[in-house]
Amino acid sequence: MPRRGETAVVPIDAASGERGGQERPKGERHRSHGPGHHCRHGPHRSRPPPPPPPVFRPFRRWFPFLVPLFIVANVALFVLTMYVNDCPAHARAAGAAIGGSVGESATAQGCWLAPELGRFAFQSFKENPLVGPSSATLLKMGALETSKVTKDHEGWRLITCIWLHAGVIHILANMLSLVLIGIRLEKEFGFMRIGTLYVISGVGGSLLSSLFMVSNISVGASGALFGLLGSMLSELITNWTIYENKIAALMTLVMIIVINLAVGILPHVDNFAHLGGFTSGFFLGFVLLMRPQFGYINQKNSPLGYPMGVTKRKFKIYQIILFVIALVILISGFTVGLVLLFQGFNASEHCSWCHYLSCVPTSKWSCKAPSNYCMSSQLGNQLNLTCQSTGKAATYVLSNPNNTEAIKNLCVGLCS
């Protein structure tokens, strides 16, 4: 007899199912199981397997809708800009004001694809090699020019310029980059974080550009796009412990960033907007894209009654330190930058080598931006123009000497 607390183990014969291997008597092989019980001798039907448990996702996945809306807004504004530009109408007015064979030539060569596109025709390739509107139209629509921000107090241009583009080539390159980078980030972090990051990075790029590129007109979403790239780098750093293949991911991302920044040293590219957007996005990533640790998430989602052990912190100490440092740098940087901008500070005058960050001159190209500014003098219908960038001079006879559009077209042709 087993003692209390013990379990008696009795051998069971596997073939007969009887204890101790004893066989059941013949007559008892098929006993009735009582009234109401029916034995089924057909094939055994197995139950369907239970459905697989839902895949556990530690972080929420978002449906991306804001980045596609940004793309639609950029394309719609470009179409609106071309509608306002109305190159054929301006070319005809300028040609009529100039008069003579010069005016006819200006009318004929003023627009590209005018018969096919009508008022949506592009400016001549000499005036805009990116295939788009005139600089005057871009300024009317909200392009960034430092003098208009500092003298005319039009600070809103720091925001509006990131939604405008200088041409078809410009908008295609930027929107393709936004699709590849922005949609992935919005799926992972949601529209609120990515939308905030995009706009603030774009403003950061506009701010640095207006401090260093004082005499240029700037448009484009490049600063905001570089902000997304910068946030990807800081997100990898601040969430380092939850990633696999960390070094490979870091090297790949750094290589992509270096290649894109290297493109900015080519002429006619505003690399200061890229650098300002990248820096803003890099520090914003530490603030907006910080992830909780897996230990905290596992404890939060563990079933009731399951032993959880020591309570885990939501964030690691180094994440909180990076958050505070980044937030201080962002607030102080934007505050100082805006104060300097509205005081008319020209950073390029105080940094003799900084222009190399935006363009490095070689034997193949020059970093001198083509300037379509002319010195003019008028005597009656006679107009004398001198291009400031090339020094070329010419004299024209105008049928309407008060037509500023005609004078602008003549200046562009003289400087091209």
Side-chain angles (χ1 to χ4, degrees), residues 66-67 69-74 158-159 161-165 174-175 177-179 181-183 185 190-206 220-229 231 277-278 280-281 284 288-289 334:
L66 186 64
V67 168
L69 280 179
F70 282 173
I71 294 171
V72 171
N74 278 277
L158 295 170
I159 299 175
C161 70
I162 66 178
W163 305 98
L164 300 173
H165 288 84
N174 280 352
M175 293 305 101
S177 301
L178 185 55
V179 167
I181 301 171
I183 290 181
L185 285 174
F191 68 96
M192 283 292 291
R193 298 186 194 185
I194 300 306
T196 303
L197 198 152
Y198 182 89
V199 174
I200 296 179
S201 297
V203 174
S206 301
S222 303
L225 292 171
F226 270 85
L228 297 182
L229 274 177
S231 70
F278 176 82
S280 302
L284 280 167
L288 297 176
L289 307 184
F334 272 87

Side-chain angles (χ1 to χ4, degrees), residues 74-325:
N74 278 277
V75 173
L77 276 172
F78 181 73
V79 173
L80 178 62
T81 303
M82 294 307 305
Y83 179 85
V84 173
N85 187 62
D86 195 4
C87 182
H90 287 90
R92 286 192 297 270
I98 296 169
S101 59
V102 177
E104 293 176 2
S105 176
T107 303
Q109 299 178 7
C111 304
W112 189 41
L113 298 179
E116 295 81 6
L117 299 178
R119 71 178 295 150
F120 293 95
F122 307 111
Q123 297 296 129
S124 65
F125 193 74
K126 285 184 178 181
E127 182 176 355
N128 188 345
L130 294 177
V131 189
S134 66
S135 56
T137 302
L138 288 173
L139 279 174
K140 186 187 299 183
M141 296 295 293
L144 177 63
E145 188 178 40
T146 304
S147 62
K148 289 191 174 294
V149 176
T150 56
K151 296 178 181 177
D152 300 336
H153 306 290
E154 297 177 356
W156 47 267
R157 290 181 180 271
L158 295 170
I159 299 175
T160 56
C161 70
I162 66 178
W163 305 98
L164 300 173
H165 288 84
V168 174
I169 299 172
H170 192 198
I171 193 171
L172 283 178
N174 280 352
M175 293 305 101
L176 178 61
S177 301
L178 185 55
V179 167
L180 296 176
I181 301 171
I183 290 181
R184 172 187 170 273
L185 285 174
E186 188 179 353
K187 282 182 179 179
E188 292 188 13
F189 296 99
F191 68 96
M192 283 292 291
R193 298 186 194 185
I194 300 306
T196 303
L197 198 152
Y198 182 89
V199 174
I200 296 179
S201 297
V203 174
S206 301
L207 182 57
L208 195 66
S209 173
S210 59
L211 287 171
F212 282 93
M213 309 289 283
V214 176
S215 60
N216 288 20
I217 296 172
S218 180
V219 292
S222 303
L225 292 171
F226 270 85
L228 297 182
L229 274 177
S231 70
M232 290 174 68
L233 179 59
S234 56
E235 189 268 331
L236 177 61
I237 294 171
T238 193
N239 301 323
W240 184 258
T241 57
I242 68 174
Y243 275 99
E244 295 180 355
N245 302 322
K246 305 175 179 66
I247 302 300
L250 179 63
M251 295 303 295
T252 302
L253 188 55
V254 168
M255 185 165 55
I256 292 172
I257 292 169
V258 168
I259 291 172
N260 280 274
L261 287 175
V263 173
I265 66 174
L266 296 173
H268 318 316
V269 178
D270 187 359
N271 209 29
F272 286 109
H274 298 173
L275 291 169
F278 176 82
T279 305
S280 302
F282 178 73
F283 289 114
L284 280 167
F286 290 119
V287 176
L288 297 176
L289 307 184
M290 188 166 54
R291 293 280 203 192
Q293 296 305 300
F294 276 144
Y296 170 83
I297 295 173
N298 289 335
Q299 286 186 341
K300 186 179 178 182
N301 293 280
S302 61
L304 292 174
Y306 187 82
M308 294 185 296
V310 181
T311 304
K312 302 286 186 181
R313 286 194 183 98
K314 187 174 183 179
F315 300 108
K316 288 189 173 291
I317 297 297
Y318 80 89
Q319 289 181 297
I320 299 173
I321 293 173
L322 289 173
F323 173 92
V324 173
I325 293 174

Side-chain angles (χ1 to χ4, degrees), residues 371-414:
S371 174
N372 292 333
Y373 293 103
C374 298
M375 297 290 294
S376 65
S377 61
Q378 275 185 273
L379 181 61
N381 289 348
Q382 182 175 306
L383 173 69
N384 299 313
L385 288 180
T386 302
C387 179
Q388 288 184 334
S389 59
T390 62
K392 290 194 296 184
T395 300
Y396 306 94
V397 177
L398 304 181
S399 58
N400 181 5
N402 297 321
N403 191 311
T404 56
E405 188 72 23
I407 298 173
K408 179 185 78 72
N409 285 351
L410 291 173
C411 177
V412 170
L414 184 64

Side-chain angles (χ1 to χ4, degrees), residues 283 324-334:
F283 289 114
V324 173
I325 293 174
L327 190 61
V328 170
I329 291 174
L330 281 168
I331 294 174
S332 58
F334 272 87

